[in-house]
Amino acid sequence: MTRAAEIGAHQIGKTFGSFTALADISMVIGRGEFLTLLGPSGSGKTTFLMVLSGFEAPTSGHLTLDGQEMTTIPAEKRGFGMVFQGYALFPHMTVAENIAFPLKVQRKSAAQVKARVDAMVEMTGLSGHAHKRPTGLSGGQQQRVALARALACEPPVLLLDEPFSALDKNLRGQMQDEMRRIHRDTGTTFVFVTHDQSEALALSSRVAIFEKGRLQQLAPPREVYERPANRFVAEFLGDINILPVVDGTVEGRAVQTPGPAGDLAIRPEYMGLSLTDPADGNAVAARLTDLTYLGAETRILLETASGSALVLHRPTADLPEGLTPGAAVWATWAPSRGFLL
Amino acid sequence: MPAPTRALLLIGPLLLFLALVYVLPFLGILRWSVTLPEPGLEQYRAALTDPLVRSVLWRTLRICAIVTVLSVVLAYIVALIWVRGSPVQRLVVELCILIPFWISVLTRAFGWLALLSNRGIVNGWLQATGLTSDPLTMVRNEFGVVVGMVHFLIPFAVFPLASAMRSVDERVLMAARGMGASRARVFWQVFLPMTRAGVIGAALVVFVFALGFFVTPAILGGGRSVMVAELIYLRIFQSPNWGLGAAISVLLMLAVGAMLAALLRQARPGGGS
């Protein structure tokens, strides 16, 4: 499959009455990209997907497909594959009939339909289930059917609306691996909506973060996590420690920061713990308030003299012996790991 | 107290009531059918061989089948507008479904008589506009009976259909449309099969209701297209032959029971295909 397409969104706006669902969204989704639309519920990510699919018309702005105008082309003519939240399988058809439906719509010959259905059943690991109805399948299997049906016609773009939201955690991990493999095998452009940060970081080539109908940041996973564009992105993607910087000092101690003033942000994984005052390097004195053993990692809560709460994630194996709440410690970080918000 | 026992206690009064008002009288009818005028199955033989009874049974089945098909098809359209129409359409349909329930079946039958009789409103209009010269005979025949019955039964078919339509996930329809399916294909291959249980339920309600119709056929059929309920009435009250009336009642009951069983098996998920 090499029909992957490029989608352009240009100043897309969408309002429902007086409610602004999307405001001024512009982006180019590259051929064969795996783009995730991430945001809390009500942030506009699903609305944007619906605009891309053609099920919702934008109030303003326009869309292009490989440079060609596509804004007014209805969903049924776009030829995109779509996986809906809750799968939206045809309950009265077998797995094979579900997958065959889009092929029959395109008037493929019976032999072509059969060959393609067999190939999709094989690719999504549904062998032996082709003659079952969706109600007889597990959540993960239904997910595969939805994926097979959406990919049956070799769509240039596959849109996925929270496809894993109904699966339990272990199955999610499995399906994520599978999704990456299928993306690699098909080469199709994937646009994937989720509210799960770790899912977005694990799957995508780029993440688009939405909040209140606006695009907050569009960048590769590592960049949005380690160099968030603003405080919302920083806090939405996981725990973050914020230390106010005044004249190049933190808690009265001179440290190396990217700038002389602002809020210094450091991810919990990048903060170290020391029982003695490190003479050189960035550090703040703090009191240990709580420890949570999580197996491979331990989550440590600290409080600085001025009352700022800090969170650290440290490998359990590296922790000093005898840490108890109340202990005086130093939280340390490499200068390159701190950024100002 | 274990759950099944408690459930039985809760539903007990209803079961007792049904036993008293339905089962006991029906057992009485059953007894009549094999004891009057003398013990034996003579009345059943008569019911199944008497040309009059057979023609009435046949007419009843035919009218009920026609009424069921018409009512379910029309109710499907009404339900579709009720469930998926604009707010104004929904309100209008809701009123059209609910208002008939406030009007007695007798009033409605006479209303149709006023509309459809030879000197009725419709014929008056047809002749005034010159579309016909002679009045069309629309009552005192099967046509009138079917019109009256369909009108009465549509609302009863709308409810099971609407509930089946409401349970169709909008996203399934979107999925079909997104794959390029035309509206006609989405309807025939996705929406209609997904509301199949509602269609079967509606057909069941209408058919069983129609079998026992008495007032509407009596008035709009004018004694010329007698249906089985009227025949039973005549056998019990006019030409006293209680045994035969009872035997026909039992046969009717068996027919309804058999049909219910067959259709319920069809309606069960995964049944049929």
Side-chain angles (χ1 to χ4, degrees), chain B residues 238-259:
Chain B
Q238 309 238 316
S239 59
N241 188 347
W242 288 17
L244 184 59
I248 302 171
S249 301
V250 171
L251 289 175
L252 187 63
M253 187 77 184
L254 288 176
V256 169
M259 234 142 19

Side-chain angles (χ1 to χ4, degrees), chain B residues 8 21 29 40 43 49 51 68 72 90 96 99 107 111 124 129 134 140 173 196 209-210 224 234 244 250:
Chain B
L8 205 64
V21 302
I29 297 281
Q43 298 292 11
T49 53
T68 302
V72 172
R90 284 178 202 204
C96 291
I99 288 173
T107 313
T129 54
D134 295 320
R140 296 173 66 80
L173 305 179
R196 180 172 160 273
F209 238 131
R224 290 195 192 182
L234 292 173
L244 184 59
V250 171

Side-chain angles (χ1 to χ4, degrees), chain A residues 55 76 84-85 92 105 149, chain B residues 171 174-175 177 179 189 193:
Chain A
F55 286 117
E76 53 267 40
F84 288 82
Q85 199 171 5
H92 57 291
V105 168
R149 186 181 66 176
Chain B
R171 285 173 298 197
M174 276 168 82
R177 225 157 47 78
M179 287 177 236
Q189 295 190 359

Side-chain angles (χ1 to χ4, degrees), chain B residues 164-179:
Chain B
M165 289 175 189
R166 286 204 182 90
S167 68
V168 171
D169 185 349
E170 185 65 32
R171 285 173 298 197
V172 175
L173 305 179
M174 276 168 82
R177 225 157 47 78
M179 287 177 236

